[in-house]
Amino acid sequence: MVPLLLVLLLILILVGAGFAVKILWWIAIALLVLWLIGFVARPKGSSGRWYRW
C-alpha cells in the first residue's frame, strides 16, 4: 500500500511541476512580447531607454 501511495504522490508532484513550468513559460512569453513592444514604441527623443531603471 505504501509503494502505491508513493508512486501516486510522485505522479501528482510531476504533473503539478509540469503545469507550473507551462505557466512560467506563458508568463515569460508575455513579458518578452511586452518588452519588444516597449522597445519598438519608445519615444524618439529619449536616450534610448523606455524604462526608468
Side-chain angles (χ1 to χ4, degrees):
M1 186 68 173
V2 172
L4 179 63
L5 289 175
L6 288 176
V7 169
L8 289 175
L9 183 64
L10 181 64
I11 290 171
L12 184 65
I13 289 172
L14 290 176
V15 168
F19 182 73
V21 167
K22 188 174 182 179
I23 292 293
L24 288 175
W25 270 111
W26 282 112
I27 291 172
I29 290 171
L31 289 176
L32 177 66
V33 168
L34 286 175
W35 180 79
L36 286 174
I37 290 171
F39 184 75
V40 171
R42 66 178 178 236
K44 301 289 185 214
S46 68
S47 63
R49 291 185 300 180
W50 58 274
Y51 44 85
R52 294 177 194 260
W53 39 272

